[in-house]
Every structure is written in C-alpha cells, then in structure tokens.
Amino acid sequence: MNKLSTVIKFTFMNRVRAKAFTVSTLIFAIVLTVIMNLPAIISYFSSSDGSAAKVGIVGQETEVTRSLKSFYESQPEPELQIVMLGDAGSKEANAKLGKEKLDAGDVKGYLELVEDPAAGFPKVIYNSKSSMDFSMESKLKRVLQVIKAEIVVKDFGLTAEQRTKLNAPVMVETVQVQEGTTGKTESQMAVAYVLVYALLFLLYMTVIGYGNMVATEITAEKSSRVMEVLISSVSPLKQMFGKIIGICLLGLVQIAVFVIVGAANMLMPHNKEMISELNISLGDIQLSLLGYFIIFYLLGYFIYATIFAAVGSLVSRTEEVGQAIMPVMFLIIAAFMIAMFGLQSPNAPFVVAMSFVPFFSPLIMFLRIGMSDPAWWEIWLSIGVTAATMFLLGWLAAKIYRVGVLMYGKRPSFKELRKAMKAFKV
C-alpha cells in the first residue's frame, strides 16, 4: 500500500507541476469565462454609444405613426428611435427624401405607409441598405401588430378595463409529470437541462483527455525503457492503479477549478440579471445530481482508464497510441451521441436500455437522472453493473499490463497474449 501511495503521489505531483497542465487549465478557464459572459460582451461592443437605432417615417402623420413613435418613447431602454421625416408631397418625393436621409447616415432605414382598405391597416414598407435586415423587420412587425390590435379594439368601443383583460398574456406553465412526485417545474427543468448538458460535456472531455493521458504515460515509460527499472521496484498491479488513481485526482482538481470559475462567473451582476430574466432560480439546482455526477464520473473514468492502461502497455511507441486506442474512443463518442439524443427523449426505450450498458451508463444513466425520474432500483442497478464491470476490467487489464509492459517490437497477437496471461495470477 505504501508503494501504491508513492506511485499515486509521484504521478499526481509530476503532472500537476507540469507547465502543460497549468497552461491548459488557464486556457479552459478563460474560454469558459468568455462563453459565460459572451452575451454581455456582444451587447457591449454592439452598442458602443448606448443610443437606439434611428428609423425614419416619410409621409403624413397618422394615428399609426403617432402610436409607433409614442410606443418606443415610452420604453425605458428603447430598441429603436422613430424620427418623423415629414411629407414631401408625393410618393416619389417622399422616397427621394428618405433616400437622402439614409445616404447621409441620419437614419438606419425609413418606413413608407401605403393604405390598404381591405386589411383595415396600412401596408408598411421598410427601406434599408441592408438586404438581410430580418431582425429589424421582426421588431417592427411585433410592435405594429400590437398597435393594429389596439386600433381595432378601440373601434369596437371597449372600455379600458376590457382592453386590459383582452391584451393580458396567457400564462402557460410547464410541469414535467413524474411518478410518485409533484413533478419538476419549468425552472427546475431548465436548470437540470443546462446542468446535465454541461456536466455531460465535461464528463466526455475529461474521460477522453485523462484516459488518453494514462495510455500515453505508460507507453512513454515503456518506450524509454524506464519501465524495466520500475517493474523491479514496484509490482505491475500497484504501478498501473497508482497511475490511474493519480491521474484521476488530477482530473478532479481540474474539474474543481472549472466549477469555481463557473460559479464565480454566474455570480457576476449581469449574469445574475440574465438568469433572473429567464425565471431560473439557482436554488433549483439538485445537489443529488452533483453527487451522482461524482459517482458516474469515477465509474466512467476507471472503466475507460483501465482499458487505456491495458492498450497503452501493448504499444511500444507513443506514435502508435492514437491508432491503438481508436476503438475505445469510438465507444465514448457513441455514448456521447446517444446522450445528446437522450436530452430530448430521456425515456425513449433505446436510451433506457443503453443506460444499463456499462460502457454507456456513466453518461446515459446520469442523463436520465437529470432529465427524467428513473426508479431508485434502476439507478443502483446501473451503478452496480458498471462497478462490477469496472472491477472485471481492472482484473483483466492488470493481467494484460503485467505481460504487455515488457513486450517490445510488434504488438502481440491475441493467442500470444492469452498464453502469456495464463502464467500470471492477479
């Protein structure tokens, strides 16, 4: 046990002191910070002068133009500023006036209102130099629809109270029905979706990254002949699991850094305001989900890390590691693709079945816990099957590792490997 802890400490300290670890952690922390603050960054650079875009109106002033102008003037932070450009006397003269203002940069675009008796509301033409200004069209259409409704309702002679009731938005609240519980509210589902998506991506990236690190480190020691010295002082079993556990601790440290960076960014004023506007409460975060993340992260890591260790021990050069671990990578990618599908359909029969397959369950069952409500026995059956598979693969990997680390040259065939493994008892 003392030698095992020595290998764990050496592996962990050797990696955590490496410049590559510090640089990669710093880069990912910066990227995470930029992503979480991207809306605020875009908003800052897209509105440097803090003023609303000016949109002109040519032609005679009407009830519609007055309502449009007063609507934006009544907003605390208006998206647009309506400017009355006046009436030049004819359609052609108005078009010329609007184009002059547009060319001079006085307005971003200008509106022409054409009477449409059949519709009971004028047809609005927005003129702009941009051929793809769909966002402006959408903004104007939304406000003009409200103005049209107000004018039509006024013609019906309704009282102010009746108009208020008519314009009051319909409230629709989504609740996810779960057996034996009151169900998840819309806020809880939104929080669970974001959390599950983020943790799935983190689980996927770290399992690939650190599993590959295990294989690469073992192959590097083998190719430099350092392995022959290590084998004489530390048993292969302790050496393999020491490396796996040491790199696992390294991954947990990096995840902790990312969690701290993410939490610090979420507590920034503009992010708290955005979360509040989305009606999302941080109090809806399920602590049990974070606990299950740790469990499934460890299970997933150890399953794949033992396979990576076994494969790495059979390779004599680091250049061959990528090709050797490719089949294992396909398994992880397949699990991630199923998880992405499961975000929309967590109770689909195929997703439920895959949550009990040991190579997929760390991602799929974790997804089901966050996005649906699997029975407690399903969760622990998945954990039990995955844990049993982890121990079985650990036993098998130890036997392969014991044989593979001292075999150089071409990779051994299955027959040669099986024959050599029979001579070793773990």
Side-chain angles (χ1 to χ4, degrees), residues 85 93-107 110 129:
L85 301 179
N94 284 336
K96 183 180 179 182
L97 173 62
K99 190 174 184 305
E100 288 174 354
K101 295 291 185 180
L102 189 61
D103 292 337
D106 295 335
V107 293
Y110 66 92
K129 288 185 176 181

Side-chain angles (χ1 to χ4, degrees), residues 176-196:
Q176 183 185 28
V177 178
Q178 297 180 351
E179 186 176 350
T181 69
T182 57
K184 292 181 181 178
T185 65
E186 189 172 0
S187 173
Q188 290 173 328
M189 285 191 293
V191 170
Y193 185 91
V194 173
L195 193 60
V196 167

Side-chain angles (χ1 to χ4, degrees), residues 26 33 36 77-78 97 109 180 235 266 297 324 338 364 369 392 415:
L26 184 61
T33 300
M36 294 189 69
E77 294 183 4
L97 173 62
S235 69
M266 287 180 66
Y297 172 81
I338 296 171
I364 311 302
I369 293 170
L392 177 63
K415 184 177 180 181

Side-chain angles (χ1 to χ4, degrees), residues 301-321:
Y301 170 80
F302 279 106
I303 276 186
Y304 284 104
T306 51
I307 300 175
F308 280 125
V311 173
S313 68
L314 298 175
V315 179
S316 300
R317 297 185 304 168
T318 53
E319 294 85 357
E320 299 174 355
V321 173

Side-chain angles (χ1 to χ4, degrees), residues 157 163 177 217 319 365 385:
R163 290 202 302 270
V177 178
E217 181 156 321
E319 294 85 357
M365 182 53 78
V385 170

Side-chain angles (χ1 to χ4, degrees), residues 70-344:
S70 63
F71 174 85
Y72 283 110
E73 288 177 348
S74 65
Q75 302 297 309
E77 294 183 4
E79 294 179 296
L80 303 175
Q81 180 183 351
I82 303 300
V83 180
M84 301 303 298
L85 301 179
D87 184 12
S90 66
K91 181 178 179 181
E92 293 75 13
N94 284 336
K96 183 180 179 182
L97 173 62
K99 190 174 184 305
E100 288 174 354
K101 295 291 185 180
L102 189 61
D103 292 337
D106 295 335
V107 293
K108 185 178 181 180
Y110 66 92
L111 301 176
E112 292 180 85
L113 276 67
V114 180
E115 290 298 326
D116 187 358
F121 194 80
K123 179 182 177 182
V124 180
I125 302 172
Y126 175 65
N127 299 273
S128 170
K129 288 185 176 181
S130 174
S131 60
M132 301 290 286
D133 205 350
F134 298 123
S135 61
M136 183 66 74
E137 180 183 332
S138 177
K139 292 174 186 177
L140 292 169
K141 187 180 292 185
R142 185 173 65 250
V143 176
L144 287 167
Q145 188 66 42
V146 174
I147 292 172
K148 178 182 178 181
E150 285 287 339
I151 292 174
V152 172
V153 167
K154 190 186 297 182
D155 291 341
F156 289 158
L158 299 180
T159 64
E161 184 180 355
Q162 289 172 325
R163 290 202 302 270
T164 301
K165 288 183 179 180
L166 185 63
N167 294 328
V170 177
M171 302 301 292
V172 178
E173 183 179 354
T174 303
V175 175
Q176 183 185 28
V177 178
Q178 297 180 351
E179 186 176 350
T181 69
T182 57
K184 292 181 181 178
T185 65
E186 189 172 0
S187 173
Q188 290 173 328
M189 285 191 293
V191 170
Y193 185 91
V194 173
L195 193 60
V196 167
Y197 187 87
L199 294 184
L200 277 178
F201 191 77
L202 189 61
L203 189 63
Y204 169 73
M205 293 301 295
T206 52
V207 166
I208 285 182
Y210 290 109
N212 187 42
M213 190 182 293
V214 170
T216 303
E217 181 156 321
I218 291 171
T219 305
E221 291 179 352
K222 181 179 175 180
S223 62
S224 63
R225 300 283 180 168
V226 174
M227 188 64 70
E228 297 175 6
V229 179
L230 295 175
I231 288 293
S232 63
S233 56
V234 183
S235 69
L237 185 63
K238 291 180 179 179
Q239 188 183 143
M240 184 187 79
F241 283 107
K243 291 182 183 300
I244 290 174
I245 296 172
I247 293 178
C248 177
L249 294 176
L250 186 74
L252 292 175
V253 167
Q254 199 166 47
I255 288 174
V257 171
F258 295 156
V259 169
I260 292 171
V261 171
N265 279 284
M266 287 180 66
L267 294 175
M268 295 182 72
H270 57 268
N271 284 333
K272 289 176 70 175
E273 184 180 347
M274 183 177 66
I275 291 171
S276 176
E277 289 175 356
L278 294 173
N279 295 322
I280 294 177
S281 172
L282 297 181
D284 290 329
I285 295 177
Q286 297 174 282
L287 296 180
S288 60
L289 190 62
L290 299 178
Y292 281 123
F293 170 76
I294 298 295
I295 293 173
F296 283 109
Y297 172 81
L298 293 175
L299 290 174
Y301 170 80
F302 279 106
I303 276 186
Y304 284 104
T306 51
I307 300 175
F308 280 125
V311 173
S313 68
L314 298 175
V315 179
S316 300
R317 297 185 304 168
T318 53
E319 294 85 357
E320 299 174 355
V321 173
Q323 183 181 0
I325 65 174
M326 190 62 69
V328 188
M329 299 287 283
F330 285 146
L331 279 176
I332 303 175
I333 293 170
F336 186 71
M337 292 297 103
I338 296 171
M340 290 298 99
F341 167 76
L343 280 172
Q344 302 299 326

